[in-house]
Each structure stands twice: as C-alpha cells, then as structure tokens.
Amino acid sequence: MSIIINGSPAALPADPRTSLLDLLRDTLSLPGTKKGCNQGACGACTVLVDGDRILSCLALAVQYDGRHVTTIEGLAEDGALHPLQQAFVVHDGFQCGYCTPGQICSAIGMAAEAKRGIPSHVSEDLSADVVLTRAELQERMSGNLCRCGAHNGIIDAISEYNTEVAA
Amino acid sequence: MNPFRYARADDAADAVALVTAGGTAAFLGGGTNLVDLMRETVARPDSLVDVSGLSDEITETDTGGLLIGAAVRNTALAGHLAVRTRYPLLSRAILGGASAQIRNMATVGGNILQRTRCTYFYDTAGSRCNKRDPGAGCDAIDGFNRIHAILDASPECVATNPSDMCVALAALDATVHIRSLGGARTIAFTDLHRTPGETPEYDTVLEPGDLIVAVELPALPFSAQSTYRKVRDRASYAFALVSVAAALDVQDGRVRDVRLALGGVAHRPWRAWKAEAALRGAPATAQSYRDAADAELADARPLSDNGFKIELARRTIVAVLTELAGPDGEAA
Ligand SMILES: Cc1cc2nc3c(=O)[nH]c(=O)nc-3n(C[C@H](O)[C@H](O)[C@H](O)COP(=O)(O)OP(=O)(O)OC[C@H]3O[C@@H](n4cnc5c(N)ncnc54)[C@H](O)[C@@H]3O)c2cc1C
Ligand code: FES
Ligand code: FES
C-alpha cells in the first residue's frame, strides 16, 4: 500500500487512525500543510488529491491508497514559484502566512472546478458557463478562513491568477 | 480516537458481510462526519468498512428519473447537468452546504446519515445528551438552544438534522435503496429519518448492517421550477438556521402542484405536507403562501432561544414561493 506525495511514493501508515495531515507533517516531514482546527472548519489543511481539493485533517490516510497528493511543497518547479504563489506575494495575500498553503492549494482546485463547469451557491444560472466574478471567488473560497483578515489580497491574487494564467 | 480496523469493500455484498461480521463496525464514506465524531469519541466503532469506492454513477431510470449511487460525491451530484437542469433545488441545496473541499469528499450516503450538530451531542467532556448516551438527559432543552428544533421535538431530544441535501431529497419524493444481509429493499426518503420520541439515539429507521446503495429521484414534471433557500448566521460555510426547498407549478394564477420541505426545524428533514395541501388549488398569491406557512407551523413550539425560527420559517416559505411563482403569481 502506498500513496504518491508530490510525485514520490510513500508508505501508508500502519495505524489507520493517522490522518493524511498527520502523515504529511509528522511522518513525511512536510510541514507546509497546516493544522488549524483539525475538524474541518478552517481549510488550513487543504491539499489536492488527483487534482481535487480536500481537507487532509478529515481524511484517513489509508483511504487514499494509490492516489496522487499535491501539497504546497509540490507546486514550485525548478526553484521558481508557482504563478499563484507569485501572485500572493505581489498582492500581499497573507500576513502571518498560516492559512496560505491551504488558500493556494484550494484556489488551484477551485480553478479546475470552475473549468469543469461546477456552479456555486451564488451562481444565478446553474447551466451557464462559470464566470469567476469577485462574488464567485469569495463564495468558492469560503472554506478557507484567514485569521489575519488578508482576504482582499487573497482574492486579488487569485483573481489575477485566474484571468492571466489559469484562463 | 479509539483504535479500529480498516477494510475496503469490493462490492455491496462484501460491505454488508464485513460490517455484520461482529463487533461495532461502521460504514465509511468520505469520513467528513464520522472521522470528526471518532476523534471526539462520540463514535467508537471497532472497525470501518470503506464504501466510498462502491457506486459513483448517476444513471437515468426507465421512468424518467435519476438513480444516484451512494458513493457519488456531493460536488459531482450538484454539478451533474441533469441535476442542474431538472432538479435545481437539489444542486442548490448541496452547493449551500459545507465548503467545496468537504463537498469534494462527502458522499451521498454519508450526507444522508450525517449526525446532528447539537453542541451538547459533541461535548463528551461534560454535557448530558440522550442521543450520545441514552438515558443521560438532555442539556440542550434548558441550555443554549438557538439552533434546535421547533417541530416534533420530544422531552428527551431537541436536536435538528443538519443536512441541506436531505431537505431537497425530502421535497422530491426520493426513494432510498438499501442492501442488507436479508436482501435489497427500498424506503421512501420521508420515512427514513425519525422523530426523536423516547429513543433519540436512533436518527433513522435503518438497522445495523443496512447499506445505502443508491437514492432514486422520480420524474417530476415541474421540478425544473424549483429552488433552495438557506438562512444562516454568515453568508457561507455555516449550517442552516432555517431552509426551504420548493418546487412550484402555477397555471392561470393558481397553484396546480407544489413540493415543499424545511430544514433546520426538526429532528428530520421536514416535508411540509400540510402547507402543500393548503396550497394545491389555491390562488398563487402571497396571502395563500402565508396561510400555507401558518398551517404548517401551527404546531411549532419554541424553546427559550429559538422562537425566532418560527417567524423566519414563515417568511422564508413565503419568499421562496413568491420567487418561484414569478410573473404568473400575484405578488402582494
Ligand atoms: C465544518 C463543516 C461544515 C459543514 N457544513 C455543512 C452544511 O452547511 N450543510 C450540510 O448539509 N452539511 C454540512 N457539513 C456536513 C457534511 O455535509 C457531512 O459531513 C458529509 O455530507 C458526510 O458525508 P461523508 O461521506 O463524509 O460521510 P461519513 O463521515 O463517511 O459518514 C457519515 C455517516 O454515514 C454512514 N455511512 C456513510 N456511507 C454510508 C452508506 N453508503 N450506507 C450506510 N451508512 C453510510 C457512516 O457510517 C456515518 O455514520 C459540514 C461538515 C463540516 C465538517
Ligand atoms: S485543519 Fe483541516 S479544516 Fe482546519
Ligand atoms: S495570513 Fe494569517 S491566517 Fe491568513
């Protein structure tokens, strides 16, 4: 049984109680993914599994046998920041930075959902193509809290990334 | 979290065999509710049977409805084109719940069987709760009960069902397909969840070992004319204080047919049968909607902190029906 983390296989834990979050942080020494609430309420632990954003604190690692997990550590290529990471720097998308890895992984998963045509709670027409307005971004990112209140910079960064890079 | 064994089921028969093999086994969907409850030691199964990989298909039925596999993720169901166009109230209910990350993990089966968010139910450190510990007493009845039930509560339990998706399924006359050691059977969705009565430890009529394999939506000619409205303490990522799922068919200024269900008000997703009966044939006016809401809420009983829910439910019903009636109805 193994799980692929940022392209490299890792052994699944012997104890099925281990969450994907604890596997990443404690066993694999990948502390970029953060533990905020450990109960699904803050989004700090967001990672991508086969491209979908999920909460690693509520995920039992054994359930993800054979799946591909991407964490914040897996985004930069050849030492160059991922364009969304760069946009967070440019737009002051953080203060303390604790929520940032989760925000960035979440926003990458969100862009893929929008491309697949998944509507949101604020979409007026459920059948129309998704247009990522500011209201759409705020709703779609509501699973990621920021205790420092850097939300405006966060939305600016994601908005730039979606119009210039992900489009 | 207590130790447990983990096994992945190959198919429904395997899942049922594994879960009934002895001990206190539980099925595992996306884990977004059960893992949390196990961490808080509210749930203490000695083994988990993973059914999240079983059926994740949505197929058309011979009678024009949809059959939704229990392992379909909430995001996939809300985003399915047939659901968005034919059952928008279901898409909207799901999209109004939890966060995108949780909806990506959560399965249909797990959402249906998610447990109450009553804080006393979660508080193993000092609160009494008959649902968690039968016979212990209920600290919510005289405690902070702003989020609790106004309909059909009992002296033993005032908890509410927290699911948004379930409110839409109740309105849609959905059917739940069950698999157990005894074979296959179906249950009307509105008969699945219980009133608390003297045994609030049972949320539903399911027996141990009953696996939800699918949910079936019947064809409903006017279900495209439907919506879901959720009222909560913040604009997103919060449970409902009150919610309304409705589908409405207005012809020549009269209500020809209607489906209506409420969330956040009772121990079960609340199908508003009385309001529906009052509405059928009535003029499509705000006065009819108010009368229907009053008929439904006549038996509502407030606790110390949640009296506001009665008026909130009334206004939300009227607002949703007015919106759905559109220009064919007469706003007042
Ligand atoms: C922070 C937070 C906010 C949330 N907000 C909302 C909200 O606003 N609205 C809302 O509706 N929900 C909300 N939720 C709840 C969420 O929708 C549920 O946790 C989710 O739907 C459960 O699905 P799951 O597959 O993860 O279930 P699991 O946690 O895997 O299982 C839940 C229960 O179902 C049983 N089960 C699972 N599958 C089956 C099956 N096929 N047959 C029989 N039994 C089965 C399990 O044994 C368990 O008892 C929230 C959750 C969190 C953590
Ligand atoms: S740590 Fe996972 S949601 Fe807060
Ligand atoms: S930057 Fe501090 S929590 Fe978001």
Side-chain angles (χ1 to χ4, degrees), chain B residues 267-298:
Chain B
H267 190 257
R268 50 152 98 187
W270 190 264
R271 177 71 178 265
W273 302 107
K274 289 179 192 159
E276 287 182 11
L279 284 164
R280 278 192 195 96
T285 60
Q287 188 56 50
S288 301
Y289 308 152
R290 277 195 291 269
D291 292 345
D294 286 343
E296 193 63 50
L297 295 164

PDB file of all heavy atoms in Angstrom, chain B residues 267-298:
ATOM      1  N   HIS B 267     -35.940  17.173  13.948  1.00  0.00           N
ATOM      2  CA  HIS B 267     -35.018  16.043  14.043  1.00  0.00           C
ATOM      3  C   HIS B 267     -34.856  15.340  12.705  1.00  0.00           C
ATOM      4  O   HIS B 267     -33.962  14.526  12.517  1.00  0.00           O
ATOM      5  CB  HIS B 267     -35.600  15.071  15.088  1.00  0.00           C
ATOM      6  CG  HIS B 267     -34.702  13.956  15.521  1.00  0.00           C
ATOM      7  ND1 HIS B 267     -34.849  12.665  15.070  1.00  0.00           N
ATOM      8  CD2 HIS B 267     -33.653  13.942  16.368  1.00  0.00           C
ATOM      9  CE1 HIS B 267     -33.931  11.889  15.648  1.00  0.00           C
ATOM     10  NE2 HIS B 267     -33.193  12.640  16.429  1.00  0.00           N
ATOM     11  N   ARG B 268     -35.749  15.634  11.797  1.00  0.00           N
ATOM     12  CA  ARG B 268     -35.684  15.050  10.462  1.00  0.00           C
ATOM     13  C   ARG B 268     -35.890  16.159   9.430  1.00  0.00           C
ATOM     14  O   ARG B 268     -36.451  17.200   9.734  1.00  0.00           O
ATOM     15  CB  ARG B 268     -36.751  13.981  10.298  1.00  0.00           C
ATOM     16  CG  ARG B 268     -38.128  14.458  10.730  1.00  0.00           C
ATOM     17  CD  ARG B 268     -39.206  13.739   9.978  1.00  0.00           C
ATOM     18  NE  ARG B 268     -39.803  12.638  10.677  1.00  0.00           N
ATOM     19  CZ  ARG B 268     -40.677  11.811  10.099  1.00  0.00           C
ATOM     20  NH1 ARG B 268     -41.017  11.965   8.840  1.00  0.00           N
ATOM     21  NH2 ARG B 268     -41.214  10.835  10.781  1.00  0.00           N
ATOM     22  N   PRO B 269     -35.442  15.906   8.187  1.00  0.00           N
ATOM     23  CA  PRO B 269     -35.791  16.852   7.124  1.00  0.00           C
ATOM     24  C   PRO B 269     -37.309  16.909   7.085  1.00  0.00           C
ATOM     25  O   PRO B 269     -37.972  15.873   7.080  1.00  0.00           O
ATOM     26  CB  PRO B 269     -35.230  16.189   5.858  1.00  0.00           C
ATOM     27  CG  PRO B 269     -34.373  15.059   6.303  1.00  0.00           C
ATOM     28  CD  PRO B 269     -34.743  14.693   7.692  1.00  0.00           C
ATOM     29  N   TRP B 270     -37.891  18.114   7.085  1.00  0.00           N
ATOM     30  CA  TRP B 270     -39.326  18.272   7.343  1.00  0.00           C
ATOM     31  C   TRP B 270     -40.105  18.482   6.064  1.00  0.00           C
ATOM     32  O   TRP B 270     -40.078  19.554   5.473  1.00  0.00           O
ATOM     33  CB  TRP B 270     -39.538  19.457   8.286  1.00  0.00           C
ATOM     34  CG  TRP B 270     -40.937  19.560   8.797  1.00  0.00           C
ATOM     35  CD1 TRP B 270     -41.939  20.334   8.290  1.00  0.00           C
ATOM     36  CD2 TRP B 270     -41.481  18.858   9.913  1.00  0.00           C
ATOM     37  NE1 TRP B 270     -43.090  20.146   9.021  1.00  0.00           N
ATOM     38  CE2 TRP B 270     -42.830  19.248  10.014  1.00  0.00           C
ATOM     39  CE3 TRP B 270     -40.971  17.914  10.824  1.00  0.00           C
ATOM     40  CZ2 TRP B 270     -43.670  18.745  11.011  1.00  0.00           C
ATOM     41  CZ3 TRP B 270     -41.805  17.421  11.801  1.00  0.00           C
ATOM     42  CH2 TRP B 270     -43.141  17.840  11.894  1.00  0.00           C
ATOM     43  N   ARG B 271     -40.844  17.459   5.634  1.00  0.00           N
ATOM     44  CA  ARG B 271     -41.714  17.621   4.481  1.00  0.00           C
ATOM     45  C   ARG B 271     -42.969  18.363   4.932  1.00  0.00           C
ATOM     46  O   ARG B 271     -43.640  17.930   5.880  1.00  0.00           O
ATOM     47  CB  ARG B 271     -42.079  16.244   3.904  1.00  0.00           C
ATOM     48  CG  ARG B 271     -43.041  16.291   2.740  1.00  0.00           C
ATOM     49  CD  ARG B 271     -42.410  16.844   1.467  1.00  0.00           C
ATOM     50  NE  ARG B 271     -43.377  16.807   0.380  1.00  0.00           N
ATOM     51  CZ  ARG B 271     -43.475  15.818  -0.504  1.00  0.00           C
ATOM     52  NH1 ARG B 271     -42.633  14.786  -0.449  1.00  0.00           N
ATOM     53  NH2 ARG B 271     -44.393  15.858  -1.441  1.00  0.00           N
ATOM     54  N   ALA B 272     -43.275  19.459   4.237  1.00  0.00           N
ATOM     55  CA  ALA B 272     -44.371  20.326   4.670  1.00  0.00           C
ATOM     56  C   ALA B 272     -45.684  19.873   4.029  1.00  0.00           C
ATOM     57  O   ALA B 272     -46.267  20.577   3.198  1.00  0.00           O
ATOM     58  CB  ALA B 272     -44.048  21.778   4.339  1.00  0.00           C
ATOM     59  N   TRP B 273     -46.160  18.702   4.452  1.00  0.00           N
ATOM     60  CA  TRP B 273     -47.383  18.130   3.856  1.00  0.00           C
ATOM     61  C   TRP B 273     -48.587  19.049   4.038  1.00  0.00           C
ATOM     62  O   TRP B 273     -49.415  19.205   3.131  1.00  0.00           O
ATOM     63  CB  TRP B 273     -47.719  16.780   4.508  1.00  0.00           C
ATOM     64  CG  TRP B 273     -46.656  15.722   4.426  1.00  0.00           C
ATOM     65  CD1 TRP B 273     -45.859  15.285   5.443  1.00  0.00           C
ATOM     66  CD2 TRP B 273     -46.278  14.933   3.277  1.00  0.00           C
ATOM     67  NE1 TRP B 273     -45.016  14.285   5.001  1.00  0.00           N
ATOM     68  CE2 TRP B 273     -45.253  14.050   3.692  1.00  0.00           C
ATOM     69  CE3 TRP B 273     -46.716  14.894   1.953  1.00  0.00           C
ATOM     70  CZ2 TRP B 273     -44.648  13.134   2.822  1.00  0.00           C
ATOM     71  CZ3 TRP B 273     -46.126  13.984   1.094  1.00  0.00           C
ATOM     72  CH2 TRP B 273     -45.105  13.113   1.530  1.00  0.00           C
ATOM     73  N   LYS B 274     -48.716  19.653   5.221  1.00  0.00           N
ATOM     74  CA  LYS B 274     -49.894  20.495   5.495  1.00  0.00           C
ATOM     75  C   LYS B 274     -49.894  21.735   4.609  1.00  0.00           C
ATOM     76  O   LYS B 274     -50.945  22.124   4.078  1.00  0.00           O
ATOM     77  CB  LYS B 274     -49.902  20.919   6.968  1.00  0.00           C
ATOM     78  CG  LYS B 274     -50.221  19.782   7.916  1.00  0.00           C
ATOM     79  CD  LYS B 274     -50.192  20.280   9.358  1.00  0.00           C
ATOM     80  CE  LYS B 274     -50.206  19.099  10.314  1.00  0.00           C
ATOM     81  NZ  LYS B 274     -49.705  19.454  11.643  1.00  0.00           N
ATOM     82  N   ALA B 275     -48.724  22.341   4.459  1.00  0.00           N
ATOM     83  CA  ALA B 275     -48.647  23.534   3.608  1.00  0.00           C
ATOM     84  C   ALA B 275     -48.971  23.163   2.166  1.00  0.00           C
ATOM     85  O   ALA B 275     -49.683  23.889   1.466  1.00  0.00           O
ATOM     86  CB  ALA B 275     -47.252  24.156   3.706  1.00  0.00           C
ATOM     87  N   GLU B 276     -48.457  22.014   1.724  1.00  0.00           N
ATOM     88  CA  GLU B 276     -48.732  21.579   0.346  1.00  0.00           C
ATOM     89  C   GLU B 276     -50.236  21.405   0.124  1.00  0.00           C
ATOM     90  O   GLU B 276     -50.784  21.850  -0.887  1.00  0.00           O
ATOM     91  CB  GLU B 276     -48.017  20.258   0.045  1.00  0.00           C
ATOM     92  CG  GLU B 276     -46.513  20.407  -0.119  1.00  0.00           C
ATOM     93  CD  GLU B 276     -45.825  19.090  -0.469  1.00  0.00           C
ATOM     94  OE1 GLU B 276     -46.532  18.099  -0.790  1.00  0.00           O
ATOM     95  OE2 GLU B 276     -44.587  19.046  -0.410  1.00  0.00           O
ATOM     96  N   ALA B 277     -50.895  20.758   1.094  1.00  0.00           N
ATOM     97  CA  ALA B 277     -52.339  20.523   0.953  1.00  0.00           C
ATOM     98  C   ALA B 277     -53.087  21.851   0.890  1.00  0.00           C
ATOM     99  O   ALA B 277     -54.044  22.006   0.117  1.00  0.00           O
ATOM    100  CB  ALA B 277     -52.837  19.664   2.119  1.00  0.00           C
ATOM    101  N   ALA B 278     -52.637  22.824   1.704  1.00  0.00           N
ATOM    102  CA  ALA B 278     -53.305  24.132   1.711  1.00  0.00           C
ATOM    103  C   ALA B 278     -53.083  24.870   0.392  1.00  0.00           C
ATOM    104  O   ALA B 278     -53.919  25.664  -0.041  1.00  0.00           O
ATOM    105  CB  ALA B 278     -52.782  24.966   2.882  1.00  0.00           C
ATOM    106  N   LEU B 279     -51.944  24.606  -0.256  1.00  0.00           N
ATOM    107  CA  LEU B 279     -51.603  25.359  -1.466  1.00  0.00           C
ATOM    108  C   LEU B 279     -52.266  24.819  -2.727  1.00  0.00           C
ATOM    109  O   LEU B 279     -52.601  25.592  -3.634  1.00  0.00           O
ATOM    110  CB  LEU B 279     -50.079  25.346  -1.667  1.00  0.00           C
ATOM    111  CG  LEU B 279     -49.287  26.288  -0.749  1.00  0.00           C
ATOM    112  CD1 LEU B 279     -47.811  25.917  -0.752  1.00  0.00           C
ATOM    113  CD2 LEU B 279     -49.486  27.739  -1.184  1.00  0.00           C
ATOM    114  N   ARG B 280     -52.450  23.501  -2.818  1.00  0.00           N
ATOM    115  CA  ARG B 280     -52.970  22.924  -4.066  1.00  0.00           C
ATOM    116  C   ARG B 280     -54.337  23.519  -4.399  1.00  0.00           C
ATOM    117  O   ARG B 280     -55.263  23.437  -3.598  1.00  0.00           O
ATOM    118  CB  ARG B 280     -53.052  21.400  -3.967  1.00  0.00           C
ATOM    119  CG  ARG B 280     -51.713  20.762  -4.244  1.00  0.00           C
ATOM    120  CD  ARG B 280     -51.720  19.257  -4.446  1.00  0.00           C
ATOM    121  NE  ARG B 280     -50.313  18.858  -4.320  1.00  0.00           N
ATOM    122  CZ  ARG B 280     -49.775  18.409  -3.194  1.00  0.00           C
ATOM    123  NH1 ARG B 280     -50.515  18.193  -2.141  1.00  0.00           N
ATOM    124  NH2 ARG B 280     -48.480  18.140  -3.156  1.00  0.00           N
ATOM    125  N   GLY B 281     -54.424  24.141  -5.545  1.00  0.00           N
ATOM    126  CA  GLY B 281     -55.690  24.738  -5.978  1.00  0.00           C
ATOM    127  C   GLY B 281     -55.905  26.164  -5.510  1.00  0.00           C
ATOM    128  O   GLY B 281     -56.834  26.830  -5.956  1.00  0.00           O
ATOM    129  N   ALA B 282     -55.054  26.627  -4.601  1.00  0.00           N
ATOM    130  CA  ALA B 282     -55.233  27.986  -4.069  1.00  0.00           C
ATOM    131  C   ALA B 282     -54.694  29.010  -5.061  1.00  0.00           C
ATOM    132  O   ALA B 282     -53.839  28.699  -5.884  1.00  0.00           O
ATOM    133  CB  ALA B 282     -54.501  28.116  -2.732  1.00  0.00           C
ATOM    134  N   PRO B 283     -55.208  30.265  -5.010  1.00  0.00           N
ATOM    135  CA  PRO B 283     -54.625  31.298  -5.874  1.00  0.00           C
ATOM    136  C   PRO B 283     -53.153  31.505  -5.516  1.00  0.00           C
ATOM    137  O   PRO B 283     -52.780  31.423  -4.351  1.00  0.00           O
ATOM    138  CB  PRO B 283     -55.462  32.549  -5.572  1.00  0.00           C
ATOM    139  CG  PRO B 283     -56.285  32.243  -4.374  1.00  0.00           C
ATOM    140  CD  PRO B 283     -56.329  30.759  -4.195  1.00  0.00           C
ATOM    141  N   ALA B 284     -52.341  31.753  -6.554  1.00  0.00           N
ATOM    142  CA  ALA B 284     -50.905  31.925  -6.334  1.00  0.00           C
ATOM    143  C   ALA B 284     -50.631  33.339  -5.838  1.00  0.00           C
ATOM    144  O   ALA B 284     -50.116  34.189  -6.562  1.00  0.00           O
ATOM    145  CB  ALA B 284     -50.141  31.631  -7.620  1.00  0.00           C
ATOM    146  N   THR B 285     -50.998  33.576  -4.595  1.00  0.00           N
ATOM    147  CA  THR B 285     -50.821  34.908  -4.006  1.00  0.00           C
ATOM    148  C   THR B 285     -50.050  34.793  -2.700  1.00  0.00           C
ATOM    149  O   THR B 285     -50.028  33.728  -2.070  1.00  0.00           O
ATOM    150  CB  THR B 285     -52.187  35.543  -3.666  1.00  0.00           C
ATOM    151  OG1 THR B 285     -52.847  34.669  -2.726  1.00  0.00           O
ATOM    152  CG2 THR B 285     -53.054  35.695  -4.907  1.00  0.00           C
ATOM    153  N   ALA B 286     -49.470  35.904  -2.294  1.00  0.00           N
ATOM    154  CA  ALA B 286     -48.723  35.925  -1.037  1.00  0.00           C
ATOM    155  C   ALA B 286     -49.624  35.526   0.130  1.00  0.00           C
ATOM    156  O   ALA B 286     -49.177  34.889   1.082  1.00  0.00           O
ATOM    157  CB  ALA B 286     -48.104  37.292  -0.805  1.00  0.00           C
ATOM    158  N   GLN B 287     -50.908  35.876   0.049  1.00  0.00           N
ATOM    159  CA  GLN B 287     -51.826  35.500   1.138  1.00  0.00           C
ATOM    160  C   GLN B 287     -51.939  33.978   1.241  1.00  0.00           C
ATOM    161  O   GLN B 287     -51.917  33.420   2.334  1.00  0.00           O
ATOM    162  CB  GLN B 287     -53.209  36.130   0.909  1.00  0.00           C
ATOM    163  CG  GLN B 287     -54.158  35.954   2.090  1.00  0.00           C
ATOM    164  CD  GLN B 287     -53.572  36.495   3.400  1.00  0.00           C
ATOM    165  OE1 GLN B 287     -53.098  37.631   3.452  1.00  0.00           O
ATOM    166  NE2 GLN B 287     -53.551  35.672   4.452  1.00  0.00           N
ATOM    167  N   SER B 288     -52.030  33.296   0.090  1.00  0.00           N
ATOM    168  CA  SER B 288     -52.083  31.824   0.127  1.00  0.00           C
ATOM    169  C   SER B 288     -50.807  31.253   0.724  1.00  0.00           C
ATOM    170  O   SER B 288     -50.846  30.276   1.487  1.00  0.00           O
ATOM    171  CB  SER B 288     -52.239  31.254  -1.283  1.00  0.00           C
ATOM    172  OG  SER B 288     -53.392  31.727  -1.894  1.00  0.00           O
ATOM    173  N   TYR B 289     -49.670  31.856   0.369  1.00  0.00           N
ATOM    174  CA  TYR B 289     -48.395  31.329   0.878  1.00  0.00           C
ATOM    175  C   TYR B 289     -48.317  31.523   2.396  1.00  0.00           C
ATOM    176  O   TYR B 289     -47.852  30.646   3.115  1.00  0.00           O
ATOM    177  CB  TYR B 289     -47.198  32.018   0.200  1.00  0.00           C
ATOM    178  CG  TYR B 289     -47.259  32.015  -1.317  1.00  0.00           C
ATOM    179  CD1 TYR B 289     -46.648  33.015  -2.056  1.00  0.00           C
ATOM    180  CD2 TYR B 289     -47.943  31.007  -2.001  1.00  0.00           C
ATOM    181  CE1 TYR B 289     -46.716  33.028  -3.446  1.00  0.00           C
ATOM    182  CE2 TYR B 289     -48.021  31.012  -3.389  1.00  0.00           C
ATOM    183  CZ  TYR B 289     -47.414  32.040  -4.106  1.00  0.00           C
ATOM    184  OH  TYR B 289     -47.499  32.053  -5.468  1.00  0.00           O
ATOM    185  N   ARG B 290     -48.802  32.682   2.852  1.00  0.00           N
ATOM    186  CA  ARG B 290     -48.798  32.925   4.307  1.00  0.00           C
ATOM    187  C   ARG B 290     -49.727  31.946   5.012  1.00  0.00           C
ATOM    188  O   ARG B 290     -49.378  31.384   6.050  1.00  0.00           O
ATOM    189  CB  ARG B 290     -49.235  34.367   4.606  1.00  0.00           C
ATOM    190  CG  ARG B 290     -48.104  35.386   4.481  1.00  0.00           C
ATOM    191  CD  ARG B 290     -48.488  36.718   5.124  1.00  0.00           C
ATOM    192  NE  ARG B 290     -49.531  37.397   4.363  1.00  0.00           N
ATOM    193  CZ  ARG B 290     -49.279  38.273   3.369  1.00  0.00           C
ATOM    194  NH1 ARG B 290     -48.036  38.578   3.057  1.00  0.00           N
ATOM    195  NH2 ARG B 290     -50.262  38.835   2.713  1.00  0.00           N
ATOM    196  N   ASP B 291     -50.896  31.703   4.435  1.00  0.00           N
ATOM    197  CA  ASP B 291     -51.833  30.758   5.058  1.00  0.00           C
ATOM    198  C   ASP B 291     -51.234  29.357   5.112  1.00  0.00           C
ATOM    199  O   ASP B 291     -51.390  28.634   6.098  1.00  0.00           O
ATOM    200  CB  ASP B 291     -53.152  30.727   4.268  1.00  0.00           C
ATOM    201  CG  ASP B 291     -53.931  32.042   4.387  1.00  0.00           C
ATOM    202  OD1 ASP B 291     -53.587  32.842   5.285  1.00  0.00           O
ATOM    203  OD2 ASP B 291     -54.846  32.261   3.566  1.00  0.00           O
ATOM    204  N   ALA B 292     -50.550  28.985   4.030  1.00  0.00           N
ATOM    205  CA  ALA B 292     -49.943  27.646   3.987  1.00  0.00           C
ATOM    206  C   ALA B 292     -48.843  27.530   5.040  1.00  0.00           C
ATOM    207  O   ALA B 292     -48.747  26.512   5.747  1.00  0.00           O
ATOM    208  CB  ALA B 292     -49.370  27.377   2.593  1.00  0.00           C
ATOM    209  N   ALA B 293     -48.026  28.563   5.148  1.00  0.00           N
ATOM    210  CA  ALA B 293     -46.951  28.544   6.155  1.00  0.00           C
ATOM    211  C   ALA B 293     -47.555  28.460   7.552  1.00  0.00           C
ATOM    212  O   ALA B 293     -47.080  27.713   8.411  1.00  0.00           O
ATOM    213  CB  ALA B 293     -46.078  29.788   6.018  1.00  0.00           C
ATOM    214  N   ASP B 294     -48.629  29.196   7.780  1.00  0.00           N
ATOM    215  CA  ASP B 294     -49.269  29.156   9.099  1.00  0.00           C
ATOM    216  C   ASP B 294     -49.821  27.764   9.399  1.00  0.00           C
ATOM    217  O   ASP B 294     -49.739  27.282  10.528  1.00  0.00           O
ATOM    218  CB  ASP B 294     -50.416  30.184   9.160  1.00  0.00           C
ATOM    219  CG  ASP B 294     -49.889  31.605   9.262  1.00  0.00           C
ATOM    220  OD1 ASP B 294     -48.694  31.764   9.602  1.00  0.00           O
ATOM    221  OD2 ASP B 294     -50.661  32.550   8.986  1.00  0.00           O
ATOM    222  N   ALA B 295     -50.387  27.119   8.379  1.00  0.00           N
ATOM    223  CA  ALA B 295     -50.922  25.764   8.582  1.00  0.00           C
ATOM    224  C   ALA B 295     -49.779  24.819   8.988  1.00  0.00           C
ATOM    225  O   ALA B 295     -49.928  23.997   9.895  1.00  0.00           O
ATOM    226  CB  ALA B 295     -51.586  25.261   7.295  1.00  0.00           C
ATOM    227  N   GLU B 296     -48.641  24.968   8.337  1.00  0.00           N
ATOM    228  CA  GLU B 296     -47.529  24.072   8.624  1.00  0.00           C
ATOM    229  C   GLU B 296     -46.949  24.322  10.012  1.00  0.00           C
ATOM    230  O   GLU B 296     -46.545  23.401  10.725  1.00  0.00           O
ATOM    231  CB  GLU B 296     -46.417  24.250   7.580  1.00  0.00           C
ATOM    232  CG  GLU B 296     -45.378  23.159   7.608  1.00  0.00           C
ATOM    233  CD  GLU B 296     -45.982  21.799   7.278  1.00  0.00           C
ATOM    234  OE1 GLU B 296     -46.684  21.689   6.274  1.00  0.00           O
ATOM    235  OE2 GLU B 296     -45.746  20.840   8.056  1.00  0.00           O
ATOM    236  N   LEU B 297     -46.893  25.595  10.391  1.00  0.00           N
ATOM    237  CA  LEU B 297     -46.179  25.965  11.614  1.00  0.00           C
ATOM    238  C   LEU B 297     -47.092  26.083  12.833  1.00  0.00           C
ATOM    239  O   LEU B 297     -46.638  26.470  13.920  1.00  0.00           O
ATOM    240  CB  LEU B 297     -45.424  27.279  11.384  1.00  0.00           C
ATOM    241  CG  LEU B 297     -44.311  27.174  10.330  1.00  0.00           C
ATOM    242  CD1 LEU B 297     -43.873  28.546   9.851  1.00  0.00           C
ATOM    243  CD2 LEU B 297     -43.129  26.379  10.879  1.00  0.00           C
ATOM    244  N   ALA B 298     -48.377  25.727  12.655  1.00  0.00           N
ATOM    245  CA  ALA B 298     -49.317  25.854  13.777  1.00  0.00           C
ATOM    246  C   ALA B 298     -48.860  25.053  14.988  1.00  0.00           C
ATOM    247  O   ALA B 298     -49.083  25.452  16.133  1.00  0.00           O
ATOM    248  CB  ALA B 298     -50.712  25.406  13.338  1.00  0.00           C
TER     249      ALA B 298
END
